[in-house]
Amino acid sequence: MGSSEAVEKQAAKLTTPAEAASIIVGGIEKEKARILVGRDAKIMDFFSRMAPARAGRMMARMMSSMMSGSFSRADELKAKGCPDGEE
């Protein structure tokens, strides 16, 4: 499979803005406490319920890598639930 085919296949899996809006409106109408849009949101919700501290650290690392390391250790500790970024 070529790289353009892989990109197209991945793009086909993404939630469109219209689909996201429909999910959000449906959740509001049903008075849902949580409205999860997309596969990644469902996965992170599951991890945050099973291992909250680990999920926070994982999310901080992922965001840091996406932002070229602009998140500090203090930000990671805050995500872990430590006040003022201290262990």
Side-chain angles (χ1 to χ4, degrees):
M1 178 183 313
S3 64
S4 64
E5 290 176 34
V7 169
E8 286 178 27
K9 190 173 182 178
Q10 185 65 25
K13 294 180 184 179
L14 296 176
T15 305
T16 67
E19 291 170 331
S22 178
I23 292 167
I24 293 167
V25 169
I28 292 169
E29 288 174 344
K30 294 176 185 172
E31 299 181 12
K32 296 258 183 177
R34 290 179 185 252
I35 302 170
L36 304 173
V37 178
R39 183 171 169 229
D40 56 337
K42 292 174 186 171
I43 291 169
M44 283 309 301
D45 181 61
F46 174 79
F47 281 130
S48 66
R49 289 173 185 254
M50 295 297 114
R54 185 176 230 173
R57 289 191 304 269
M58 181 178 71
M59 191 176 303
R61 280 194 307 271
M62 288 171 57
M63 294 200 63
S64 180
S65 68
M66 289 189 313
M67 304 296 285
S68 301
S70 63
F71 286 88
S72 67
R73 173 75 175 142
D75 292 327
E76 186 176 339
L77 290 171
K78 285 179 187 174
K80 186 176 170 182
C82 298
D84 301 323
E86 298 176 4
E87 287 190 78

